[in-house]
Amino acid sequence: SASANAQYNVGRTAALAGEDELAFVYFRRYLAVTEADAPLRDDVERALARLEERLALIELRVPPGATVYLDGRDRGVVAEAEEGDEPLLVPAAPGEHLVLVEAPSFLPFQQAVVAARGERVFVAAASLMQRRTASFVVRLRGVPAGAEPVVRVTGLGGEAVDLQSGRASLLPVGRHRLSVSGPGVEAEHRELVLAPGGGEVVVTVRPAVPPTGRLLVVGAERGVSVTLDGQPVGETPLVLPQVPVGTYVLRACAEERSVELREARGTLVNL
């Protein structure tokens, strides 16, 4: 393909000019975009093997979207991480180098490494980098009397933090899931993105809607008055589509029954 040819040509030119590090990068890119039976693949693999004997290799595990600099920003970007778990392989001249990693939502990370000719050095930056934090406040409005809602923020890694309404907390910058729940309140969930400058969210808390069931009352006679816990509810045949779940005393004429209603189910009473 045109892309593969371009990668090969740049790598070949760099190799002829003695730019081993650049040649290594472009020869690897060529292998990444070609099929196993590509005509030049064997030649490129042999060239890479020779380069690995002359170069030092720095293998890094970094967060997605990270940018890697070698020996300062002045030399420019030497590698950029994409989505996925594959480590980055950065070629370098044998000797001592300073690796700098920058990634969204993380504090910059740097580490000095010493790599000999033909040696591979590992840098586990992803597990060592610290996330940036910012101030975040949740304010609850309209909390029903007696309710004690729980405010919880969960990060992408599954770590959860419980917050108090109106009190600032330090959270990692980036994406989170905010949930408000608890007895007596309607659960609410929303996605949020915390910027480096911090943020504030106002959540209106609504009373929980009690679960309901369906009550059907039929009998041999029509027009019989029915009461539920002493309250008139209609005459037979009777359908009550939304009755809070629980146990009730149903009375029709002289007959009295205990009726249990369950959530999302219909209960039939045949008088």
Side-chain angles (χ1 to χ4, degrees), residues 68-253:
V68 180
Y69 301 89
L70 201 59
D71 299 324
R73 293 186 183 85
D74 292 342
R75 291 192 54 187
V77 177
V78 297
E80 291 182 299
E82 299 178 355
E83 295 291 339
D85 296 327
E86 289 298 319
L88 294 178
L89 195 59
V90 177
E96 185 174 349
H97 297 279
L98 183 64
V99 176
L100 172 63
V101 182
E102 295 181 344
S105 304
F106 288 86
L107 295 173
F109 168 87
Q110 61 181 13
Q111 179 175 321
V113 298
V114 178
R117 178 187 178 104
E119 183 182 13
R120 183 174 296 204
V121 176
F122 297 90
V123 178
S127 61
L128 299 174
M129 294 180 73
Q130 296 182 341
R131 283 191 174 273
R132 296 180 186 272
T133 58
S135 176
F136 180 68
V137 180
V138 176
R139 301 190 188 277
L140 302 182
R141 297 284 185 264
V143 178
E148 297 182 357
V150 175
V151 181
R152 180 164 296 170
V153 173
T154 306
L156 294 180
E159 62 281 5
V161 179
D162 289 348
L163 308 181
Q164 291 186 354
S165 176
R167 179 174 295 182
S169 300
L170 286 178
L171 296 178
V173 169
R175 294 187 176 276
H176 300 272
R177 181 173 175 81
L178 171 68
S179 64
V180 179
S181 60
V185 300
E186 182 180 331
E188 178 168 343
H189 307 280
R190 63 175 70 176
E191 303 294 326
L192 65 90
V193 179
L194 183 60
E200 179 175 320
V201 171
V202 177
V203 178
T204 299
V205 181
R206 298 176 177 82
V209 177
T212 61
R214 189 164 179 253
L215 177 62
L216 301 89
V217 183
V218 297
E221 299 183 22
R222 300 176 62 90
V224 175
S225 297
V226 179
T227 64
L228 208 58
D229 280 354
Q231 299 297 319
V233 290
E235 297 179 346
T236 59
L238 178 65
V239 178
L240 300 175
Q242 290 184 320
V243 180
V245 298
T247 302
Y248 297 88
V249 175
L250 183 146
R251 181 185 292 273
C253 293

Side-chain angles (χ1 to χ4, degrees), residues 56-74:
L57 298 178
I58 304 171
E59 185 172 316
L60 302 105
R61 287 198 174 274
V62 297
T67 302
V68 180
Y69 301 89
L70 201 59
D71 299 324
R73 293 186 183 85
D74 292 342

